[in-house]
Every structure is written in C-alpha cells, then in structure tokens.
Amino acid sequence: MTQASGAAPDPSAGEVANQLASVVGRLLRRLRSTSSESLLTPTQRSVLARLDDGGAATTADLARAEFVRPQSMRLTLGSLEAQGLVERAPDPADGRKSVMSITDAGRATLAEVRAAKRNWLAEAVAAELDGHERRTVAEAVALIERLVGS
C-alpha cells in the first residue's frame, strides 16, 4: 500500500504492540484502583472471578491458575473464607481434599467490583470522548478482540 504524499508512514507491528501493551497496562491499573474501597486485593478479586466462572476448585488448582505457591493461595482463600466470600467442601472425587466455591456474598461482592470498574470506564468514555471518538474506540475494541481470539 502506498502512502499519500505528506502522510505519516504506517507504524510497525512492534511500535503498535509496544503502545498497545503500555496503554492496556495503564488501563488495567486504573480499573483495579477504581474498586480500592473494596476490601479485596487483586488476587482475591481474581480468585473470586475464577471460582465464579469456572466453579469449585482445589487450592492447588487455584494456585496453578494464579501462578502463586499453594501456601500463598491458602492465605488468600483463608481471608476470603473469613469474609464469607468462599466456602470449603469435601472434594467429591477425593475426600482427602477440599474444594473451594464462591458464596452468594462472594458473587455480590464480585458484582460490585465489576460494576465499579464498568461505571468508571463508562463515565470516562462519556466525559472524554465525542460520538466519533466513541465509534473509533468501539472499532478498536473489535480489533483487539480479534487479536486476543475472543
């Protein structure tokens, strides 16, 4: 594809990748900070989401999925259990183990955290972007979904 005289050259794939990774990282940090009034750490939020999406799991399974040591996951789960956000039950496949599952209170807390993030983002989009810019962002979202295979 040729460039019109005076037009900026197309950015390289590496340049776009660097910029995208940087801005997505900042967006994720900002989204995490919007629910800081919650008593949940990022790991606790992630574990609740994993249990909500994937169902009951053992401590070892959760530790592997979150890339942490089982001892660290036990601490995370202990805190969530003390708050009544998860509950322990015997593993139906192996009675020597236990599985953790999210409680109704855990689902409600997770929904509040997710709503706070969506609300902040919707307010930022409404305040900062005009209609044309919102359409551009919507098109970019579709492209990013294609990149990540969703």
Side-chain angles (χ1 to χ4, degrees):
M1 181 169 149
T2 60
Q3 293 292 322
S5 178
D10 287 343
S12 72
E15 291 169 331
V16 172
N18 285 336
Q19 291 172 348
L20 183 58
S22 175
V23 77
V24 167
R26 289 194 322 265
L27 175 62
L28 289 173
R29 282 189 296 281
R30 186 66 187 262
L31 287 169
R32 279 188 211 114
S33 73
T34 62
S35 58
S36 61
E37 73 281 353
S38 149
L39 299 176
L40 299 178
T41 67
T43 300
Q44 290 171 336
R45 287 191 299 264
S46 181
V47 168
L48 281 181
R50 191 171 298 283
L51 290 171
D52 190 42
D53 295 340
T58 65
T59 301
D61 290 338
L62 290 167
R64 275 190 297 278
E66 293 291 321
F67 302 102
V68 298
R69 296 164 57 112
Q71 297 87 340
S72 297
M73 183 54 63
R74 274 194 286 282
L75 291 173
T76 297
L77 290 169
S79 176
L80 290 170
E81 190 173 21
Q83 295 176 64
L85 304 178
V86 299
E87 60 190 1
R88 183 180 314 270
D91 185 338
D94 183 348
R96 297 170 296 169
K97 297 180 185 177
S98 59
V99 294
M100 303 301 291
S101 57
I102 190 168
T103 63
D104 289 341
R107 280 189 191 84
T109 299
L110 186 60
E112 286 178 34
V113 168
R114 288 174 170 166
K117 292 176 185 199
R118 280 190 308 273
N119 290 341
W120 171 82
L121 190 53
E123 289 172 11
V125 167
E128 299 294 328
L129 305 178
D130 64 24
H132 174 72
E133 290 169 325
R134 286 193 302 272
R135 283 188 298 278
T136 300
V137 170
E139 290 170 2
V141 167
L143 294 172
I144 293 167
E145 283 181 357
R146 194 170 89 197
L147 284 176
V148 298
S150 294

